[in-house]
Amino acid sequence: MAHWSTFEKETEKETKKLIRSISKIEDEEDQNFQSALKFTWSNFKFHRYLDVDSHKVQRSISGIYEKLMVHSDLSKAGSWMRLTEEFLNSPLPNTHETKPPVPFQPIMGEPDARAWLEQHVVTPYWATHASRFPHSLHLHSNLLNVWDQHLYNTDPLYLPEEKAFVSETQVIRETLWLLSGVKKLFIFQHHDGKVSVRNDVVVTHLTSNCLLSVLEHVSVYGQAVFRLQRFIDEVTGHSSEPGPPGSGSCSRKGSEPPFRTYQAFVWALNKYFTGFKEELTTIEKEIISNDETVTLSAVLERLSSHLAQIKVLHKVFCTGVAEVPPATPNVVRASHLLNTLYKAIIEYDSVGEASEQTVALLFSLWTETVRPYLEIVDEWIVHGHLFDPAKEFIIQRNKDVPVNHRDFWYATYTLYSVSEMVDNEEKLNDAASGSSGGDQSSSNRQLTMVSFLKPVLKQIIMAGKSMQLLKNLDWKEAESSETSSRDAERKSLYTLFLESVQSRLCSQEGSPANTVSEQQATARSLVKMQSIMAQHLEIDDVHDPLLAINFARLYLEQSDFHERFSGGDFIVDRSSQSITCQTFELTLRSCLYPHIERRYIECCGNLMKTLKKDYMLLEYLQAMRNHFLLEAGDTMYDFYTAIFDKVQEKESWQQPSFLNMQLQEAVGQRYPEDSSRLSVFLENIDPSRKKHPVNNLDALTLSYKVPWPVDIVISSECQKIYNQVFLLLLQIKWAKYSLDTLRFNIAEKLEGSLGEEVKPKEPSNQQIHRMCLLRVKLMHFVNSLHNYIMTRILHSTGLEFQHQVQEAKDLDQLIKIHYRYLATIHDRCLLREKVSFVKEAIMKVLNLVLIFSDRWQAGFGAWKIESIDKVESDFKNCHMFLVTILNKAVCRGSFPHLESLALSLMAGFEQC
């Protein structure tokens, strides 16, 4: 208290007396006494006691008197006026005076108090005609005057201008205030978002140009701080100033709140600026304490790392936020901001040790900004709920498609992306992920989908859709109390990611002894590698030690990279991009992706088990093969032979009631569970397609009622392919059945027919022999085709399909396997449009078989030698054409599965 004035000492003494009188506490060391002393001192120092206005007091007294007179309280009114007059005219304590004259004057402090105020209160240097402060007369402290005198002596036109003199301390404090976000300053002026420096402000020990250069450098960072602070205020809702167009305002509508990614980014920025402002406050306290000399250059040197970080933050803000067009959707805004941070980390990470602090800052900023994205992913893959009210996530729910709809897996989610090559928003319809695209809109920026999620995007989509489907399948495990308790204790994806990053960083630090030994070994390896690289460079006449050191360091880093991670659980990509950003990408690959992979395996595994066990997915797939691909041969034999018999007997068979009755009788005996699901109907066929007998079966179509959710795998499009194969098999079966049911009673029919003819053109035995040979040739062709389809194609492909179904990890993979299986049998059954000419040749042979069978049943009287010659000629031509085409395909190796059919048909052709 050595610096206290006499007035302050007397005030403290009287204050203690006041506390003892009121509180009755005599011990000054008592805690309650000290609390009361602090409270009283605080009120004395900081409470504002306004000067008393006697006119206001007199008006209040008169007002009360008039109110009492209005209410007829004459006695009270008289007493009020008398007592107030006596009080105002009574003498004051310790004086003999009455009330002071109007207006009352405040009590002035003692002279030593005034001196203390003059020493501690800042001189109003911002005033128009402020007095100049005293300073040293040393030459260094008067450089401005010396320079002005020099200009005056050397330049006859030089006219000194009026200057505002400030001290360096005042410049430092305004610099600190500028970087703190204060706008109303004297040296720095703020206009329309830009910061400028007054050109009339000078200090005595610097030239005006030198000071202006330094302050303009500072103003750039101040402007960056203002811009970032305005963005923070806009997002947090504290800004009342409307921003100019293109200023990076986060909301496009007044009522629309900023989406969560921007909020997280602002939270990270605010967190950084809180620490930065604490550093500024520390510097200002040091200036106020005046314990040591603080210069502007020292302050800027101390803040150099922060200023460099502010420059990086401002660059990220400009690229990721401010330059995005105002009408851009939130999904593109969020994606672009995350991509900007991602690319900035990779860019600065490639520099190496020189940018460690910048990478650490950007990584912390990225981890905070990415939190909403990871929370959306976590909610989706854990609870099956894609909660994204602001539509900022790259995957968005199509609410028009309910979960229990058969198109849920394909059309329920929308994956948004913006092309890097074309400046417009593109729609990705990815069958692999079961996603459909979004609306197209133009944009003048090259914005991209979030990069860090690309390696696990498929797993996220599969896990999310699987979990949502499980929630709607009455999943037993999802309703158990144990699962609820486990979910309450479960850590979020974001928490697991942060813990993994922390664990990775701790494991890389290692013990000090190991670190020292590793550093020594690295130094020795670096020296050795440097000599080797120098020798290699000298071969090309290059003598650059620095280049040799950098090459040596690069090789050592790649070697260490390979040794540490080549034996891990993940595959190391040795591409140039991976080596450049190895640290950040490996952090994601080891700390984030494994958690998503585990959840993907768990969700999709539970869905596959539920579909196979509770919804009999495998049984339905087997039923499709049994009935459509005729694997249940005895059952379907009863159905289609009834149709073939009707055709041979020239009876009508194209009646839905007859067809469904035959199907129910055939299926109900061996597969009663499928009898209610199977049905048959007739489609309307173009009359031009019925010009051949073999096309009479084209209208026949099987239908199998597949319940939800199995219809996601066995869709209506799949049933169309099944029906195409079924129709081909039915036509082959019809030709085979027609040849198999022919009887050798042609001699009797021949005698009856020959009685009417006078002279046949050739002997009857020879004609019978030709007919039998033709029948055998046709049977060989049909049997070869039948065996190829039923064994080489359907059976072999079916076994492979069953094995793949058991190995499928998720529903999307199972759908792919099923589609690939159908495409394979569709292709190998020669139903593809590209090989339609081969199918036409086969259909022509089958048609010849039906014509031959019909004429055989009618007897030889219905045949003419020319007809037999034509059938033999047509069959030979088709046979030769197929053998030639199939042999060429087999020789090229493009259709190896056709080899058995080609050999079989070639053997039959050689016998012709």
mmCIF file with all atom_site columns, all heavy atoms in Angstrom, residues 529-542:
data_model
loop_
_atom_site.group_PDB
_atom_site.id
_atom_site.type_symbol
_atom_site.label_atom_id
_atom_site.label_alt_id
_atom_site.label_comp_id
_atom_site.label_asym_id
_atom_site.label_entity_id
_atom_site.label_seq_id
_atom_site.pdbx_PDB_ins_code
_atom_site.Cartn_x
_atom_site.Cartn_y
_atom_site.Cartn_z
_atom_site.occupancy
_atom_site.B_iso_or_equiv
_atom_site.pdbx_formal_charge
_atom_site.auth_seq_id
_atom_site.auth_comp_id
_atom_site.auth_asym_id
_atom_site.auth_atom_id
_atom_site.pdbx_PDB_model_num
ATOM 1   N N   . MET A 1 529 ? 23.177 -42.592 -46.286 1.00 0.00 ? 529 MET A N   1
ATOM 2   C CA  . MET A 1 529 ? 22.386 -42.438 -47.498 1.00 0.00 ? 529 MET A CA  1
ATOM 3   C C   . MET A 1 529 ? 22.764 -41.180 -48.260 1.00 0.00 ? 529 MET A C   1
ATOM 4   O O   . MET A 1 529 ? 22.729 -41.136 -49.494 1.00 0.00 ? 529 MET A O   1
ATOM 5   C CB  . MET A 1 529 ? 20.886 -42.395 -47.129 1.00 0.00 ? 529 MET A CB  1
ATOM 6   C CG  . MET A 1 529 ? 19.946 -42.365 -48.326 1.00 0.00 ? 529 MET A CG  1
ATOM 7   S SD  . MET A 1 529 ? 20.082 -43.831 -49.382 1.00 0.00 ? 529 MET A SD  1
ATOM 8   C CE  . MET A 1 529 ? 19.364 -45.066 -48.302 1.00 0.00 ? 529 MET A CE  1
ATOM 9   N N   . GLN A 1 530 ? 23.178 -40.153 -47.533 1.00 0.00 ? 530 GLN A N   1
ATOM 10  C CA  . GLN A 1 530 ? 23.592 -38.915 -48.199 1.00 0.00 ? 530 GLN A CA  1
ATOM 11  C C   . GLN A 1 530 ? 24.813 -39.140 -49.080 1.00 0.00 ? 530 GLN A C   1
ATOM 12  O O   . GLN A 1 530 ? 24.899 -38.647 -50.208 1.00 0.00 ? 530 GLN A O   1
ATOM 13  C CB  . GLN A 1 530 ? 23.876 -37.835 -47.152 1.00 0.00 ? 530 GLN A CB  1
ATOM 14  C CG  . GLN A 1 530 ? 24.357 -36.524 -47.753 1.00 0.00 ? 530 GLN A CG  1
ATOM 15  C CD  . GLN A 1 530 ? 24.817 -35.555 -46.697 1.00 0.00 ? 530 GLN A CD  1
ATOM 16  O OE1 . GLN A 1 530 ? 24.668 -35.815 -45.519 1.00 0.00 ? 530 GLN A OE1 1
ATOM 17  N NE2 . GLN A 1 530 ? 25.393 -34.454 -47.132 1.00 0.00 ? 530 GLN A NE2 1
ATOM 18  N N   . SER A 1 531 ? 25.777 -39.905 -48.547 1.00 0.00 ? 531 SER A N   1
ATOM 19  C CA  . SER A 1 531 ? 26.972 -40.189 -49.349 1.00 0.00 ? 531 SER A CA  1
ATOM 20  C C   . SER A 1 531 ? 26.624 -40.989 -50.596 1.00 0.00 ? 531 SER A C   1
ATOM 21  O O   . SER A 1 531 ? 27.158 -40.755 -51.678 1.00 0.00 ? 531 SER A O   1
ATOM 22  C CB  . SER A 1 531 ? 27.998 -40.940 -48.499 1.00 0.00 ? 531 SER A CB  1
ATOM 23  O OG  . SER A 1 531 ? 27.472 -42.190 -48.075 1.00 0.00 ? 531 SER A OG  1
ATOM 24  N N   . ILE A 1 532 ? 25.721 -41.935 -50.435 1.00 0.00 ? 532 ILE A N   1
ATOM 25  C CA  . ILE A 1 532 ? 25.308 -42.734 -51.599 1.00 0.00 ? 532 ILE A CA  1
ATOM 26  C C   . ILE A 1 532 ? 24.632 -41.855 -52.639 1.00 0.00 ? 532 ILE A C   1
ATOM 27  O O   . ILE A 1 532 ? 24.917 -41.935 -53.852 1.00 0.00 ? 532 ILE A O   1
ATOM 28  C CB  . ILE A 1 532 ? 24.380 -43.873 -51.149 1.00 0.00 ? 532 ILE A CB  1
ATOM 29  C CG1 . ILE A 1 532 ? 25.136 -44.828 -50.209 1.00 0.00 ? 532 ILE A CG1 1
ATOM 30  C CG2 . ILE A 1 532 ? 23.825 -44.624 -52.347 1.00 0.00 ? 532 ILE A CG2 1
ATOM 31  C CD1 . ILE A 1 532 ? 24.253 -45.908 -49.617 1.00 0.00 ? 532 ILE A CD1 1
ATOM 32  N N   . MET A 1 533 ? 23.712 -40.976 -52.171 1.00 0.00 ? 533 MET A N   1
ATOM 33  C CA  . MET A 1 533 ? 23.007 -40.119 -53.115 1.00 0.00 ? 533 MET A CA  1
ATOM 34  C C   . MET A 1 533 ? 23.957 -39.122 -53.775 1.00 0.00 ? 533 MET A C   1
ATOM 35  O O   . MET A 1 533 ? 23.795 -38.784 -54.950 1.00 0.00 ? 533 MET A O   1
ATOM 36  C CB  . MET A 1 533 ? 21.874 -39.373 -52.398 1.00 0.00 ? 533 MET A CB  1
ATOM 37  C CG  . MET A 1 533 ? 20.752 -40.279 -51.915 1.00 0.00 ? 533 MET A CG  1
ATOM 38  S SD  . MET A 1 533 ? 20.072 -41.318 -53.224 1.00 0.00 ? 533 MET A SD  1
ATOM 39  C CE  . MET A 1 533 ? 19.622 -40.106 -54.435 1.00 0.00 ? 533 MET A CE  1
ATOM 40  N N   . ALA A 1 534 ? 24.960 -38.640 -53.026 1.00 0.00 ? 534 ALA A N   1
ATOM 41  C CA  . ALA A 1 534 ? 25.932 -37.708 -53.612 1.00 0.00 ? 534 ALA A CA  1
ATOM 42  C C   . ALA A 1 534 ? 26.711 -38.370 -54.742 1.00 0.00 ? 534 ALA A C   1
ATOM 43  O O   . ALA A 1 534 ? 26.988 -37.757 -55.783 1.00 0.00 ? 534 ALA A O   1
ATOM 44  C CB  . ALA A 1 534 ? 26.870 -37.192 -52.521 1.00 0.00 ? 534 ALA A CB  1
ATOM 45  N N   . GLN A 1 535 ? 27.062 -39.660 -54.546 1.00 0.00 ? 535 GLN A N   1
ATOM 46  C CA  . GLN A 1 535 ? 27.767 -40.386 -55.612 1.00 0.00 ? 535 GLN A CA  1
ATOM 47  C C   . GLN A 1 535 ? 26.891 -40.528 -56.846 1.00 0.00 ? 535 GLN A C   1
ATOM 48  O O   . GLN A 1 535 ? 27.359 -40.360 -57.973 1.00 0.00 ? 535 GLN A O   1
ATOM 49  C CB  . GLN A 1 535 ? 28.193 -41.752 -55.087 1.00 0.00 ? 535 GLN A CB  1
ATOM 50  C CG  . GLN A 1 535 ? 29.245 -41.687 -53.973 1.00 0.00 ? 535 GLN A CG  1
ATOM 51  C CD  . GLN A 1 535 ? 29.550 -43.060 -53.412 1.00 0.00 ? 535 GLN A CD  1
ATOM 52  O OE1 . GLN A 1 535 ? 29.034 -44.067 -53.890 1.00 0.00 ? 535 GLN A OE1 1
ATOM 53  N NE2 . GLN A 1 535 ? 30.409 -43.093 -52.388 1.00 0.00 ? 535 GLN A NE2 1
ATOM 54  N N   . HIS A 1 536 ? 25.616 -40.823 -56.630 1.00 0.00 ? 536 HIS A N   1
ATOM 55  C CA  . HIS A 1 536 ? 24.714 -40.953 -57.779 1.00 0.00 ? 536 HIS A CA  1
ATOM 56  C C   . HIS A 1 536 ? 24.532 -39.622 -58.501 1.00 0.00 ? 536 HIS A C   1
ATOM 57  O O   . HIS A 1 536 ? 24.441 -39.581 -59.741 1.00 0.00 ? 536 HIS A O   1
ATOM 58  C CB  . HIS A 1 536 ? 23.348 -41.483 -57.316 1.00 0.00 ? 536 HIS A CB  1
ATOM 59  C CG  . HIS A 1 536 ? 23.342 -42.958 -57.070 1.00 0.00 ? 536 HIS A CG  1
ATOM 60  N ND1 . HIS A 1 536 ? 23.234 -43.884 -58.090 1.00 0.00 ? 536 HIS A ND1 1
ATOM 61  C CD2 . HIS A 1 536 ? 23.435 -43.676 -55.926 1.00 0.00 ? 536 HIS A CD2 1
ATOM 62  C CE1 . HIS A 1 536 ? 23.259 -45.113 -57.587 1.00 0.00 ? 536 HIS A CE1 1
ATOM 63  N NE2 . HIS A 1 536 ? 23.381 -45.009 -56.264 1.00 0.00 ? 536 HIS A NE2 1
ATOM 64  N N   . LEU A 1 537 ? 24.476 -38.548 -57.731 1.00 0.00 ? 537 LEU A N   1
ATOM 65  C CA  . LEU A 1 537 ? 24.303 -37.242 -58.373 1.00 0.00 ? 537 LEU A CA  1
ATOM 66  C C   . LEU A 1 537 ? 25.544 -36.817 -59.132 1.00 0.00 ? 537 LEU A C   1
ATOM 67  O O   . LEU A 1 537 ? 25.468 -36.148 -60.172 1.00 0.00 ? 537 LEU A O   1
ATOM 68  C CB  . LEU A 1 537 ? 23.940 -36.195 -57.315 1.00 0.00 ? 537 LEU A CB  1
ATOM 69  C CG  . LEU A 1 537 ? 22.557 -36.336 -56.674 1.00 0.00 ? 537 LEU A CG  1
ATOM 70  C CD1 . LEU A 1 537 ? 22.390 -35.335 -55.543 1.00 0.00 ? 537 LEU A CD1 1
ATOM 71  C CD2 . LEU A 1 537 ? 21.452 -36.149 -57.709 1.00 0.00 ? 537 LEU A CD2 1
ATOM 72  N N   . GLU A 1 538 ? 26.730 -37.194 -58.611 1.00 0.00 ? 538 GLU A N   1
ATOM 73  C CA  . GLU A 1 538 ? 27.969 -36.823 -59.292 1.00 0.00 ? 538 GLU A CA  1
ATOM 74  C C   . GLU A 1 538 ? 28.097 -37.512 -60.637 1.00 0.00 ? 538 GLU A C   1
ATOM 75  O O   . GLU A 1 538 ? 28.791 -37.034 -61.535 1.00 0.00 ? 538 GLU A O   1
ATOM 76  C CB  . GLU A 1 538 ? 29.160 -37.166 -58.410 1.00 0.00 ? 538 GLU A CB  1
ATOM 77  C CG  . GLU A 1 538 ? 29.303 -36.236 -57.205 1.00 0.00 ? 538 GLU A CG  1
ATOM 78  C CD  . GLU A 1 538 ? 30.432 -36.654 -56.291 1.00 0.00 ? 538 GLU A CD  1
ATOM 79  O OE1 . GLU A 1 538 ? 31.084 -37.677 -56.606 1.00 0.00 ? 538 GLU A OE1 1
ATOM 80  O OE2 . GLU A 1 538 ? 30.663 -35.979 -55.269 1.00 0.00 ? 538 GLU A OE2 1
ATOM 81  N N   . ILE A 1 539 ? 27.443 -38.652 -60.788 1.00 0.00 ? 539 ILE A N   1
ATOM 82  C CA  . ILE A 1 539 ? 27.476 -39.348 -62.088 1.00 0.00 ? 539 ILE A CA  1
ATOM 83  C C   . ILE A 1 539 ? 26.867 -38.459 -63.168 1.00 0.00 ? 539 ILE A C   1
ATOM 84  O O   . ILE A 1 539 ? 27.312 -38.425 -64.319 1.00 0.00 ? 539 ILE A O   1
ATOM 85  C CB  . ILE A 1 539 ? 26.744 -40.697 -61.987 1.00 0.00 ? 539 ILE A CB  1
ATOM 86  C CG1 . ILE A 1 539 ? 27.485 -41.611 -60.996 1.00 0.00 ? 539 ILE A CG1 1
ATOM 87  C CG2 . ILE A 1 539 ? 26.629 -41.352 -63.355 1.00 0.00 ? 539 ILE A CG2 1
ATOM 88  C CD1 . ILE A 1 539 ? 26.776 -42.932 -60.759 1.00 0.00 ? 539 ILE A CD1 1
ATOM 89  N N   . ASP A 1 540 ? 25.808 -37.703 -62.764 1.00 0.00 ? 540 ASP A N   1
ATOM 90  C CA  . ASP A 1 540 ? 25.154 -36.796 -63.708 1.00 0.00 ? 540 ASP A CA  1
ATOM 91  C C   . ASP A 1 540 ? 25.709 -35.383 -63.623 1.00 0.00 ? 540 ASP A C   1
ATOM 92  O O   . ASP A 1 540 ? 25.057 -34.415 -64.059 1.00 0.00 ? 540 ASP A O   1
ATOM 93  C CB  . ASP A 1 540 ? 23.644 -36.764 -63.425 1.00 0.00 ? 540 ASP A CB  1
ATOM 94  C CG  . ASP A 1 540 ? 23.012 -38.128 -63.626 1.00 0.00 ? 540 ASP A CG  1
ATOM 95  O OD1 . ASP A 1 540 ? 23.517 -38.878 -64.477 1.00 0.00 ? 540 ASP A OD1 1
ATOM 96  O OD2 . ASP A 1 540 ? 22.020 -38.437 -62.931 1.00 0.00 ? 540 ASP A OD2 1
ATOM 97  N N   . ASP A 1 541 ? 26.922 -35.244 -63.066 1.00 0.00 ? 541 ASP A N   1
ATOM 98  C CA  . ASP A 1 541 ? 27.581 -33.937 -62.950 1.00 0.00 ? 541 ASP A CA  1
ATOM 99  C C   . ASP A 1 541 ? 26.745 -32.949 -62.137 1.00 0.00 ? 541 ASP A C   1
ATOM 100 O O   . ASP A 1 541 ? 26.627 -31.756 -62.462 1.00 0.00 ? 541 ASP A O   1
ATOM 101 C CB  . ASP A 1 541 ? 27.883 -33.342 -64.334 1.00 0.00 ? 541 ASP A CB  1
ATOM 102 C CG  . ASP A 1 541 ? 28.928 -34.178 -65.077 1.00 0.00 ? 541 ASP A CG  1
ATOM 103 O OD1 . ASP A 1 541 ? 29.758 -34.823 -64.401 1.00 0.00 ? 541 ASP A OD1 1
ATOM 104 O OD2 . ASP A 1 541 ? 28.888 -34.182 -66.324 1.00 0.00 ? 541 ASP A OD2 1
ATOM 105 N N   . VAL A 1 542 ? 26.104 -33.436 -61.094 1.00 0.00 ? 542 VAL A N   1
ATOM 106 C CA  . VAL A 1 542 ? 25.322 -32.588 -60.199 1.00 0.00 ? 542 VAL A CA  1
ATOM 107 C C   . VAL A 1 542 ? 26.000 -32.605 -58.834 1.00 0.00 ? 542 VAL A C   1
ATOM 108 O O   . VAL A 1 542 ? 26.121 -33.666 -58.206 1.00 0.00 ? 542 VAL A O   1
ATOM 109 C CB  . VAL A 1 542 ? 23.859 -33.075 -60.083 1.00 0.00 ? 542 VAL A CB  1
ATOM 110 C CG1 . VAL A 1 542 ? 23.102 -32.203 -59.096 1.00 0.00 ? 542 VAL A CG1 1
ATOM 111 C CG2 . VAL A 1 542 ? 23.189 -33.068 -61.453 1.00 0.00 ? 542 VAL A CG2 1
#
